[in-house]
Amino acid sequence: MKQYDYLIVGAGLFGAVFAHEATKLGKRCLVIDKREHRGGNVYCDDVASIHVHKYGAHIFHTDNKEIWEYVNRLVEFNRFTNAPLACFGGRLYNLPFNMNTFYQLWGVKTPAEAKAKIEEQRSRYQSIAEPANLEEQALKLCGEDIYNYLIKGYTEKQWGRSATELPPFIIRRIPFRFVFDNNYFNDAYQGIPKGGYNVLIDKLLENSEVKLGVNYFKDRTRWEGMAEKTLFTGCIDEFYNYCCGALEYRSLRFEQQLLDMEDFQGNAVVNYTEREIPYTRIIEHKHFEFGNQPVTVITYEYPDSFAPDKEPYYPVNDTRNSEIFSKYQELARKEEKILFGGRLAQYTYADMDDTIEAALKLCKEELQTI
């Protein structure tokens, strides 16, 4: 009999939820992570008593009442509502695109006026039957003002390519809200764990053994030999030593500053949509938890190309990468002692509620068979 029932590679949200559910059923779990902290990308640093989202802003939101009740049984959430701003040409615009945005752009005050203005701008591009790229797709959906002010530069920075070189499917639709409401998400439930995300992760992992600063790939035979099964939540192409090709990602780079002032920008997130400004947004972390500290911490977020020494953030889900990933999926389906889960193993962008739901689904499928 082996020392553990499960080796869980990755102490992020997916692995932590699986470990929590497995230990509730009496399973012995060993969780390892190459980083020196738990929580994966939801980890928070404590800087001057401010919980700093080390890997970018994370706002929990969901329409799934069961998932909302699940996390609230573990920790208490605050009432934070995501209402980001966009800065272009030194002027601020509300996001998502709503009546406040349309008033700021055009001075329109009623939904009818806003719809007429959007239709006027869209009408110039309706002759484009099949958009050949993202720029044509966006112009056909919203016209030039919204595109040029709030979409073009931000998107080009995010992907590191001109909008005319990006595929149209990246923007399948552009949601317009003809109400004065700056709540970014449509979901019924939204908030931040009181005390930051580390509180949630610690609760999930409280009955598991956790080893940090461990590189699974340096001694994978030893680690796998300690458990009956392994749950792998890292990059699936790395797991298979890139035998079907390397999957592409976009990465991010962060520059953090501790400022001797109470408030820098008055909002948690401000996007910078001009191509000439190298960062995509500034995050002011104290606003996630309504902090009143005498100082503040801000983070400049820069899009970055991906390399083996950088963190993979956004999958490049084009035809080539989808074909490569499907080959890895075929290999994964043949595994008897290895489970795969999480955004990196599934090569997908996933919100936190989707990640938790997927982990619970895998738990149900897996633990019922034992």
Side-chain angles (χ1 to χ4, degrees), residues 198-228:
N198 297 0
V199 178
L200 173 62
I201 295 297
D202 288 346
K203 188 69 176 179
L204 289 167
L205 292 175
E206 64 183 355
N207 293 315
S208 298
E209 185 175 347
V210 180
K211 294 183 182 295
L212 302 173
V214 173
N215 189 330
Y216 161 78
F217 290 106
K218 286 187 176 179
D219 202 358
R220 62 192 289 179
T221 302
R222 170 181 168 244
W223 292 111
E224 289 178 5
M226 297 171 68
E228 299 292 339

Side-chain angles (χ1 to χ4, degrees), residues 238-257:
E238 185 179 14
F239 181 88
Y240 286 110
N241 199 27
Y242 309 100
C243 66
C244 301
L247 292 166
E248 291 182 272
Y249 289 89
R250 288 288 290 166
S251 190
L252 295 171
R253 179 170 59 86
F254 304 100
E255 290 183 3
Q256 182 180 306
Q257 295 181 12

Side-chain angles (χ1 to χ4, degrees), residues 308-358:
D309 61 335
K310 299 176 183 177
E311 291 295 332
Y313 283 93
Y314 303 108
V316 182
N317 294 121
D318 58 13
T319 301
R320 174 187 170 276
N321 286 290
S322 296
E323 289 173 354
I324 292 173
F325 175 59
S326 68
K327 294 176 183 177
Y328 287 122
Q329 281 184 304
E330 282 297 315
L331 295 175
R333 279 191 278 268
K334 298 174 184 177
E335 301 285 356
E336 295 183 357
K337 296 292 185 179
I338 309 290
L339 307 171
F340 295 90
R343 63 183 184 87
L344 298 177
Q346 298 299 328
Y347 194 61
T348 186
Y349 177 84
D351 289 328
M352 287 180 283
D353 63 328
D354 296 329
T355 298
I356 292 171
E357 186 175 10

Side-chain angles (χ1 to χ4, degrees), residues 69-102:
E69 290 175 346
Y70 178 84
V71 293
N72 275 269
R73 284 195 296 270
L74 296 164
V75 296
E76 187 178 358
F77 277 68
N78 69 17
R79 57 174 180 81
F80 178 82
T81 299
N82 191 28
L85 295 166
C87 182
F88 179 87
R91 296 181 63 86
L92 293 174
Y93 300 88
N94 288 107
L95 297 174
F97 306 141
N98 68 76
M99 285 301 301
N100 289 307
T101 323
F102 308 142

Side-chain angles (χ1 to χ4, degrees), residues 42-247:
V42 304
Y43 170 76
C44 294
D45 267 333
D46 189 318
V47 180
S49 299
I50 298 169
H51 301 123
V52 174
H53 296 206
K54 184 176 176 66
Y55 302 97
H58 285 78
I59 298 108
F60 196 94
H61 59 98
T62 186
D63 245 349
N64 188 324
K65 187 177 181 181
E66 291 182 4
I67 297 300
W68 182 245
E69 290 175 346
Y70 178 84
V71 293
N72 275 269
R73 284 195 296 270
L74 296 164
V75 296
E76 187 178 358
F77 277 68
N78 69 17
R79 57 174 180 81
F80 178 82
T81 299
N82 191 28
L85 295 166
C87 182
F88 179 87
R91 296 181 63 86
L92 293 174
Y93 300 88
N94 288 107
L95 297 174
F97 306 141
N98 68 76
M99 285 301 301
N100 289 307
T101 323
F102 308 142
Y103 175 76
Q104 291 151 353
L105 282 167
W106 305 309
V108 295
K109 298 177 182 177
T110 68
E113 290 175 332
K115 290 176 182 178
K117 189 67 177 179
I118 292 170
E119 192 55 40
E120 172 197 325
Q121 296 216 339
R122 290 179 67 246
S123 65
R124 301 165 194 166
Y125 302 95
Q126 296 315 299
S127 60
I128 303 173
E130 288 295 329
N133 52 55
L134 183 145
E135 179 160 292
E136 290 185 357
Q137 174 80 349
L139 287 169
K140 187 172 182 178
L141 289 171
C142 68
E144 63 267 23
D145 284 350
I146 291 174
Y147 173 65
N148 288 323
Y149 285 32
L150 303 174
I151 296 174
K152 177 179 169 63
Y154 188 94
T155 304
E156 290 182 339
K157 288 188 287 188
Q158 195 78 341
W159 293 100
R161 293 161 63 186
S162 166
T164 57
E165 298 172 2
L166 292 167
F169 71 78
I170 291 177
I171 295 184
R172 290 189 173 91
R173 66 185 186 89
I174 296 176
F176 299 120
R177 298 183 189 169
F178 297 98
V179 291
F180 290 90
D181 181 2
N182 298 321
N183 181 359
Y184 192 79
F185 300 118
N186 283 319
D187 295 330
Y189 310 103
Q190 184 174 176
I192 305 283
K194 289 187 175 181
Y197 284 97
N198 297 0
V199 178
L200 173 62
I201 295 297
D202 288 346
K203 188 69 176 179
L204 289 167
L205 292 175
E206 64 183 355
N207 293 315
S208 298
E209 185 175 347
V210 180
K211 294 183 182 295
L212 302 173
V214 173
N215 189 330
Y216 161 78
F217 290 106
K218 286 187 176 179
D219 202 358
R220 62 192 289 179
T221 302
R222 170 181 168 244
W223 292 111
E224 289 178 5
M226 297 171 68
E228 299 292 339
K229 284 190 172 184
T230 296
L231 167 61
F232 181 78
T233 69
C235 294
I236 194 169
D237 55 347
E238 185 179 14
F239 181 88
Y240 286 110
N241 199 27
Y242 309 100
C243 66
C244 301
L247 292 166

Side-chain angles (χ1 to χ4, degrees), residues 296-313:
T296 192
V297 178
I298 63 170
T299 299
Y300 291 82
E301 185 174 305
Y302 296 82
D304 201 3
S305 58
F306 177 65
D309 61 335
K310 299 176 183 177
E311 291 295 332
Y313 283 93

